[in-house]
Amino acid sequence: MIFRNLLLSLILASIVSTCDPNKQSDNTSESHNITAVSHSLVLASDIKWEPLNPARGDQSPRAGTLWGDRNGSEPTGFLVKFAEGFSSPPHIHNITYKGVVIHGLIHNDDPTAENMWMASGSFWTQPAGEPHITAAKAEENMAFIEIEKGPYLVKPTDEAFDKGEKPINVDVSNLVWVDLAVKHATKQPAKVAYLWSKAKDDHLNGSLLKLPAGFKGEIQSSDSTFRAVVIQGHPLYRATKKEKAVALEAGSYFSSEGEFAHQLSTENDGESILYIRSRGKFELVEAQ
């Protein structure tokens, strides 16, 4: 298990650009067309929670939708909460999903694998049709889950199938962080960890953005898809410079379509980490 994690650390940059399990959807799963500029904000405190798998009743993890509809056919992002000591029976999903740990310790792997407890900021992918279990052991456990096309279904292992995809588990300690170019930068650099696909024009891609303590500026995006989920920290957010800033808890979400600038700042004693899903590149600009 340790060897696998170290190996992933060395080759992650090439894996995510060439072996994304949903790369065939890069240019189709979310529309290129921009009919009007729009933006949205969902606070963690306003999320509505429901059973992830209603068939398990009170034993089911809780799910809260950020965008889309996991019971429909569109791309969807949602949060999942796991109770302390939760462990699922072996099962499969009909579709591939990506996950980022927000709180606690989460294990997701083959039913026979040793536990690999992934902490906040860790990233994994679960291929469609592959038997696995999911477990959690901290007092509070939450993850962000993303699918390219629903519905998101839980099925028994006797319906397993092989699509030729391989799972990826990357512990937070093995993420590869690189400095991100920032316009007008005066403080320590922001950093980015590229998770899947390539951050270039017309390509859907996913990354983690680390804003340093004391940052004040904006994220600029001009394409049809920009979505951000708070993974760590409590960044202050406002859609425009005229609005009052709102402190975002982990699990909060903001997005835009078209040319838009999201205003962000961090406290002097704490950094923030965001998961970014975007079509093409985004730009970070520090306030002068």
mmCIF file of all heavy atoms in Angstrom, residues 84-112:
data_model
loop_
_atom_site.group_PDB
_atom_site.id
_atom_site.type_symbol
_atom_site.label_atom_id
_atom_site.label_comp_id
_atom_site.label_asym_id
_atom_site.label_seq_id
_atom_site.Cartn_x
_atom_site.Cartn_y
_atom_site.Cartn_z
ATOM 1 N N GLU A 84 -19.560 7.787 12.239
ATOM 2 C CA GLU A 84 -18.357 7.163 12.767
ATOM 3 C C GLU A 84 -18.524 5.645 12.798
ATOM 4 O O GLU A 84 -19.535 5.122 13.250
ATOM 5 C CB GLU A 84 -18.080 7.678 14.175
ATOM 6 C CG GLU A 84 -16.803 7.150 14.784
ATOM 7 C CD GLU A 84 -16.511 7.746 16.152
ATOM 8 O OE1 GLU A 84 -17.418 8.435 16.696
ATOM 9 O OE2 GLU A 84 -15.403 7.535 16.663
ATOM 10 N N GLY A 85 -17.525 4.936 12.276
ATOM 11 C CA GLY A 85 -17.579 3.488 12.247
ATOM 12 C C GLY A 85 -18.343 2.903 11.075
ATOM 13 O O GLY A 85 -18.471 1.680 10.961
ATOM 14 N N PHE A 86 -18.828 3.745 10.167
ATOM 15 C CA PHE A 86 -19.575 3.248 9.003
ATOM 16 C C PHE A 86 -18.699 2.356 8.136
ATOM 17 O O PHE A 86 -17.525 2.642 7.896
ATOM 18 C CB PHE A 86 -20.083 4.418 8.168
ATOM 19 C CG PHE A 86 -20.671 3.995 6.837
ATOM 20 C CD1 PHE A 86 -21.971 3.532 6.758
ATOM 21 C CD2 PHE A 86 -19.909 4.035 5.671
ATOM 22 C CE1 PHE A 86 -22.514 3.127 5.545
ATOM 23 C CE2 PHE A 86 -20.444 3.646 4.455
ATOM 24 C CZ PHE A 86 -21.748 3.187 4.397
ATOM 25 N N SER A 87 -19.258 1.274 7.645
ATOM 26 C CA SER A 87 -18.590 0.406 6.672
ATOM 27 C C SER A 87 -19.665 -0.217 5.783
ATOM 28 O O SER A 87 -20.570 -0.893 6.279
ATOM 29 C CB SER A 87 -17.783 -0.685 7.361
ATOM 30 O OG SER A 87 -17.082 -1.467 6.405
ATOM 31 N N SER A 88 -19.577 0.023 4.511
ATOM 32 C CA SER A 88 -20.588 -0.490 3.586
ATOM 33 C C SER A 88 -20.333 -1.959 3.285
ATOM 34 O O SER A 88 -19.202 -2.442 3.393
ATOM 35 C CB SER A 88 -20.554 0.302 2.282
ATOM 36 O OG SER A 88 -19.384 -0.034 1.537
ATOM 37 N N PRO A 89 -21.351 -2.677 2.870
ATOM 38 C CA PRO A 89 -21.107 -4.016 2.323
ATOM 39 C C PRO A 89 -20.451 -3.871 0.949
ATOM 40 O O PRO A 89 -20.552 -2.807 0.320
ATOM 41 C CB PRO A 89 -22.517 -4.592 2.215
ATOM 42 C CG PRO A 89 -23.412 -3.403 2.085
ATOM 43 C CD PRO A 89 -22.783 -2.333 2.902
ATOM 44 N N PRO A 90 -19.772 -4.896 0.454
ATOM 45 C CA PRO A 90 -19.228 -4.826 -0.912
ATOM 46 C C PRO A 90 -20.343 -4.517 -1.902
ATOM 47 O O PRO A 90 -21.437 -5.063 -1.821
ATOM 48 C CB PRO A 90 -18.639 -6.221 -1.130
ATOM 49 C CG PRO A 90 -18.313 -6.704 0.249
ATOM 50 C CD PRO A 90 -19.424 -6.171 1.116
ATOM 51 N N HIS A 91 -20.040 -3.619 -2.843
ATOM 52 C CA HIS A 91 -21.055 -3.212 -3.810
ATOM 53 C C HIS A 91 -20.374 -2.619 -5.031
ATOM 54 O O HIS A 91 -19.149 -2.465 -5.063
ATOM 55 C CB HIS A 91 -22.004 -2.168 -3.195
ATOM 56 C CG HIS A 91 -21.319 -0.895 -2.807
ATOM 57 N ND1 HIS A 91 -20.536 -0.774 -1.670
ATOM 58 C CD2 HIS A 91 -21.282 0.333 -3.409
ATOM 59 C CE1 HIS A 91 -20.061 0.448 -1.580
ATOM 60 N NE2 HIS A 91 -20.476 1.145 -2.624
ATOM 61 N N ILE A 92 -21.155 -2.285 -6.040
ATOM 62 C CA ILE A 92 -20.650 -1.591 -7.220
ATOM 63 C C ILE A 92 -21.545 -0.387 -7.498
ATOM 64 O O ILE A 92 -22.627 -0.252 -6.922
ATOM 65 C CB ILE A 92 -20.616 -2.496 -8.472
ATOM 66 C CG1 ILE A 92 -22.048 -2.799 -8.949
ATOM 67 C CG2 ILE A 92 -19.843 -3.772 -8.217
ATOM 68 C CD1 ILE A 92 -22.132 -3.344 -10.362
ATOM 69 N N HIS A 93 -21.062 0.483 -8.396
ATOM 70 C CA HIS A 93 -21.885 1.571 -8.925
ATOM 71 C C HIS A 93 -21.971 1.421 -10.439
ATOM 72 O O HIS A 93 -21.067 0.872 -11.079
ATOM 73 C CB HIS A 93 -21.279 2.934 -8.573
ATOM 74 C CG HIS A 93 -21.236 3.191 -7.106
ATOM 75 N ND1 HIS A 93 -22.354 3.471 -6.367
ATOM 76 C CD2 HIS A 93 -20.197 3.208 -6.235
ATOM 77 C CE1 HIS A 93 -22.013 3.658 -5.100
ATOM 78 N NE2 HIS A 93 -20.709 3.494 -4.992
ATOM 79 N N ASN A 94 -23.042 1.924 -10.980
ATOM 80 C CA ASN A 94 -23.246 1.833 -12.428
ATOM 81 C C ASN A 94 -22.416 2.848 -13.196
ATOM 82 O O ASN A 94 -22.237 2.731 -14.409
ATOM 83 C CB ASN A 94 -24.726 2.039 -12.773
ATOM 84 C CG ASN A 94 -25.219 3.397 -12.316
ATOM 85 O OD1 ASN A 94 -24.995 3.792 -11.168
ATOM 86 N ND2 ASN A 94 -25.904 4.116 -13.193
ATOM 87 N N ILE A 95 -21.904 3.857 -12.482
ATOM 88 C CA ILE A 95 -21.111 4.905 -13.134
ATOM 89 C C ILE A 95 -19.828 5.145 -12.326
ATOM 90 O O ILE A 95 -19.731 4.780 -11.151
ATOM 91 C CB ILE A 95 -21.909 6.228 -13.270
ATOM 92 C CG1 ILE A 95 -22.613 6.597 -11.952
ATOM 93 C CG2 ILE A 95 -22.940 6.123 -14.384
ATOM 94 C CD1 ILE A 95 -21.791 7.351 -10.989
ATOM 95 N N THR A 96 -18.845 5.742 -12.974
ATOM 96 C CA THR A 96 -17.600 6.121 -12.310
ATOM 97 C C THR A 96 -17.800 7.430 -11.554
ATOM 98 O O THR A 96 -18.512 8.320 -12.018
ATOM 99 C CB THR A 96 -16.481 6.292 -13.356
ATOM 100 O OG1 THR A 96 -16.222 5.023 -13.959
ATOM 101 C CG2 THR A 96 -15.201 6.821 -12.733
ATOM 102 N N TYR A 97 -17.171 7.545 -10.392
ATOM 103 C CA TYR A 97 -17.229 8.815 -9.677
ATOM 104 C C TYR A 97 -15.854 9.226 -9.169
ATOM 105 O O TYR A 97 -14.939 8.408 -9.059
ATOM 106 C CB TYR A 97 -18.247 8.768 -8.537
ATOM 107 C CG TYR A 97 -17.839 8.009 -7.289
ATOM 108 C CD1 TYR A 97 -16.982 8.576 -6.348
ATOM 109 C CD2 TYR A 97 -18.336 6.737 -7.032
ATOM 110 C CE1 TYR A 97 -16.627 7.897 -5.192
ATOM 111 C CE2 TYR A 97 -17.996 6.050 -5.883
ATOM 112 C CZ TYR A 97 -17.129 6.639 -4.961
ATOM 113 O OH TYR A 97 -16.775 5.960 -3.822
ATOM 114 N N LYS A 98 -15.716 10.507 -8.863
ATOM 115 C CA LYS A 98 -14.509 11.060 -8.253
ATOM 116 C C LYS A 98 -14.869 11.562 -6.865
ATOM 117 O O LYS A 98 -15.991 12.035 -6.642
ATOM 118 C CB LYS A 98 -13.951 12.222 -9.088
ATOM 119 C CG LYS A 98 -13.766 11.936 -10.564
ATOM 120 C CD LYS A 98 -13.232 13.185 -11.271
ATOM 121 C CE LYS A 98 -13.222 13.020 -12.779
ATOM 122 N NZ LYS A 98 -14.567 13.172 -13.378
ATOM 123 N N GLY A 99 -13.930 11.490 -5.929
ATOM 124 C CA GLY A 99 -14.203 11.932 -4.571
ATOM 125 C C GLY A 99 -13.044 12.708 -3.973
ATOM 126 O O GLY A 99 -11.874 12.448 -4.277
ATOM 127 N N VAL A 100 -13.376 13.675 -3.106
ATOM 128 C CA VAL A 100 -12.383 14.427 -2.336
ATOM 129 C C VAL A 100 -12.832 14.413 -0.880
ATOM 130 O O VAL A 100 -13.978 14.775 -0.581
ATOM 131 C CB VAL A 100 -12.245 15.878 -2.831
ATOM 132 C CG1 VAL A 100 -11.193 16.629 -1.996
ATOM 133 C CG2 VAL A 100 -11.863 15.931 -4.303
ATOM 134 N N VAL A 101 -11.940 14.023 0.028
ATOM 135 C CA VAL A 101 -12.274 14.007 1.451
ATOM 136 C C VAL A 101 -12.284 15.431 1.986
ATOM 137 O O VAL A 101 -11.344 16.201 1.755
ATOM 138 C CB VAL A 101 -11.263 13.159 2.250
ATOM 139 C CG1 VAL A 101 -11.642 13.143 3.730
ATOM 140 C CG2 VAL A 101 -11.192 11.739 1.698
ATOM 141 N N ILE A 102 -13.350 15.786 2.704
ATOM 142 C CA ILE A 102 -13.449 17.104 3.326
ATOM 143 C C ILE A 102 -13.169 17.020 4.825
ATOM 144 O O ILE A 102 -12.340 17.755 5.357
ATOM 145 C CB ILE A 102 -14.840 17.724 3.071
ATOM 146 C CG1 ILE A 102 -15.038 17.950 1.562
ATOM 147 C CG2 ILE A 102 -14.999 19.043 3.835
ATOM 148 C CD1 ILE A 102 -16.397 18.522 1.197
ATOM 149 N N HIS A 103 -13.874 16.121 5.526
ATOM 150 C CA HIS A 103 -13.669 15.924 6.958
ATOM 151 C C HIS A 103 -13.410 14.456 7.245
ATOM 152 O O HIS A 103 -13.939 13.564 6.561
ATOM 153 C CB HIS A 103 -14.910 16.336 7.761
ATOM 154 C CG HIS A 103 -15.221 17.790 7.738
ATOM 155 N ND1 HIS A 103 -14.289 18.771 7.995
ATOM 156 C CD2 HIS A 103 -16.391 18.451 7.513
ATOM 157 C CE1 HIS A 103 -14.860 19.958 7.921
ATOM 158 N NE2 HIS A 103 -16.133 19.787 7.620
ATOM 159 N N GLY A 104 -12.648 14.195 8.295
ATOM 160 C CA GLY A 104 -12.540 12.843 8.825
ATOM 161 C C GLY A 104 -11.540 11.955 8.118
ATOM 162 O O GLY A 104 -10.579 12.419 7.494
ATOM 163 N N LEU A 105 -11.801 10.658 8.188
ATOM 164 C CA LEU A 105 -10.947 9.637 7.602
ATOM 165 C C LEU A 105 -11.828 8.653 6.836
ATOM 166 O O LEU A 105 -12.726 8.041 7.420
ATOM 167 C CB LEU A 105 -10.167 8.897 8.686
ATOM 168 C CG LEU A 105 -9.173 9.744 9.483
ATOM 169 C CD1 LEU A 105 -8.681 8.981 10.705
ATOM 170 C CD2 LEU A 105 -8.000 10.160 8.599
ATOM 171 N N ILE A 106 -11.545 8.504 5.554
ATOM 172 C CA ILE A 106 -12.380 7.670 4.686
ATOM 173 C C ILE A 106 -11.517 6.657 3.954
ATOM 174 O O ILE A 106 -10.432 6.978 3.464
ATOM 175 C CB ILE A 106 -13.161 8.543 3.683
ATOM 176 C CG1 ILE A 106 -14.151 9.450 4.441
ATOM 177 C CG2 ILE A 106 -13.903 7.691 2.662
ATOM 178 C CD1 ILE A 106 -14.879 10.430 3.564
ATOM 179 N N HIS A 107 -12.032 5.429 3.887
ATOM 180 C CA HIS A 107 -11.374 4.346 3.152
ATOM 181 C C HIS A 107 -12.282 3.917 2.007
ATOM 182 O O HIS A 107 -13.485 3.713 2.191
ATOM 183 C CB HIS A 107 -11.125 3.148 4.086
ATOM 184 C CG HIS A 107 -10.786 1.878 3.365
ATOM 185 N ND1 HIS A 107 -9.540 1.645 2.819
ATOM 186 C CD2 HIS A 107 -11.536 0.773 3.094
ATOM 187 C CE1 HIS A 107 -9.532 0.443 2.252
ATOM 188 N NE2 HIS A 107 -10.727 -0.104 2.395
ATOM 189 N N ASN A 108 -11.717 3.773 0.808
ATOM 190 C CA ASN A 108 -12.482 3.301 -0.351
ATOM 191 C C ASN A 108 -11.571 2.434 -1.195
ATOM 192 O O ASN A 108 -10.600 2.928 -1.774
ATOM 193 C CB ASN A 108 -13.003 4.483 -1.174
ATOM 194 C CG ASN A 108 -13.994 4.048 -2.240
ATOM 195 O OD1 ASN A 108 -15.185 3.980 -1.992
ATOM 196 N ND2 ASN A 108 -13.507 3.746 -3.435
ATOM 197 N N ASP A 109 -11.879 1.136 -1.260
ATOM 198 C CA ASP A 109 -10.968 0.245 -1.976
ATOM 199 C C ASP A 109 -11.630 -1.116 -2.183
ATOM 200 O O ASP A 109 -12.771 -1.345 -1.769
ATOM 201 C CB ASP A 109 -9.666 0.085 -1.188
ATOM 202 C CG ASP A 109 -8.454 -0.132 -2.093
ATOM 203 O OD1 ASP A 109 -8.628 -0.704 -3.186
ATOM 204 O OD2 ASP A 109 -7.339 0.258 -1.709
ATOM 205 N N ASP A 110 -10.870 -2.006 -2.810
ATOM 206 C CA ASP A 110 -11.285 -3.390 -2.995
ATOM 207 C C ASP A 110 -11.649 -4.005 -1.637
ATOM 208 O O ASP A 110 -11.013 -3.700 -0.626
ATOM 209 C CB ASP A 110 -10.118 -4.162 -3.631
ATOM 210 C CG ASP A 110 -10.475 -5.596 -3.921
ATOM 211 O OD1 ASP A 110 -10.306 -6.418 -2.998
ATOM 212 O OD2 ASP A 110 -10.908 -5.896 -5.040
ATOM 213 N N PRO A 111 -12.661 -4.868 -1.580
ATOM 214 C CA PRO A 111 -13.079 -5.451 -0.300
ATOM 215 C C PRO A 111 -11.971 -6.184 0.448
ATOM 216 O O PRO A 111 -12.033 -6.320 1.677
ATOM 217 C CB PRO A 111 -14.205 -6.410 -0.707
ATOM 218 C CG PRO A 111 -14.767 -5.825 -1.964
ATOM 219 C CD PRO A 111 -13.590 -5.249 -2.680
ATOM 220 N N THR A 112 -10.960 -6.677 -0.248
ATOM 221 C CA THR A 112 -9.878 -7.417 0.403
ATOM 222 C C THR A 112 -8.667 -6.559 0.738
ATOM 223 O O THR A 112 -7.706 -7.049 1.332
ATOM 224 C CB THR A 112 -9.428 -8.576 -0.501
ATOM 225 O OG1 THR A 112 -8.905 -8.052 -1.735
ATOM 226 C CG2 THR A 112 -10.588 -9.515 -0.809
#
